[in-house]
Amino acid sequence: MAMDAHAMRAATERSEELWTTLDPTVRRSILTIRLAEQDSYPAALRKEILAARDALRDAVARDDQATQDTQLVRLGRLAEQGRDQFAEVSTPSTAGSVLPSKR
């Protein structure tokens, strides 16, 4: 099966376009959920994020906008809690880094 580079590029551009049109709160929630699903947060925080995800999914299924809003706010708060924890774990030290242009 041959890759259709033009179609892939068009799909990538379209997905990036759609991503930027999402509300920032929704984007942050999606990223927070994704990081939790990848075990990037401590277990207790991960559990809270996944519970908020499940509650959000249930609210969407019921078309319950008030609960959706509540869960999006909850996910935003959890993202803030996890931001520093995630950064401590995932940010590599730059002490010995050499930029490709400096090699």
Side-chain angles (χ1 to χ4, degrees), residues 50-97:
L50 297 179
R53 174 203 63 192
D54 294 344
L56 179 59
R57 285 179 177 167
D58 291 344
V60 169
R62 292 189 318 272
D63 198 28
D64 181 347
Q65 189 62 52
T67 301
Q68 290 176 46
D69 292 345
T70 299
Q71 295 310 314
L72 288 170
V73 169
R74 179 180 175 197
L75 283 163
R77 289 183 185 141
L78 292 168
E80 288 299 316
Q81 284 180 352
R83 185 180 63 197
D84 293 332
Q85 295 173 24
F86 178 69
E88 290 172 10
V89 172
S90 67
T91 304
S93 171
T94 57
S97 297

Side-chain angles (χ1 to χ4, degrees), residues 18-74:
L18 291 171
W19 179 253
T20 60
T21 63
L22 290 175
D23 180 88
T25 303
V26 173
R27 284 197 312 256
R28 181 177 40 222
S29 295
I30 291 169
L31 292 173
T32 301
I33 290 166
R34 185 67 184 140
L35 290 171
E37 291 173 342
Q38 294 174 343
D39 294 329
S40 297
Y41 295 118
L45 181 58
R46 179 181 181 276
K47 184 177 177 180
E48 283 189 69
I49 292 168
L50 297 179
R53 174 203 63 192
D54 294 344
L56 179 59
R57 285 179 177 167
D58 291 344
V60 169
R62 292 189 318 272
D63 198 28
D64 181 347
Q65 189 62 52
T67 301
Q68 290 176 46
D69 292 345
T70 299
Q71 295 310 314
L72 288 170
V73 169
R74 179 180 175 197

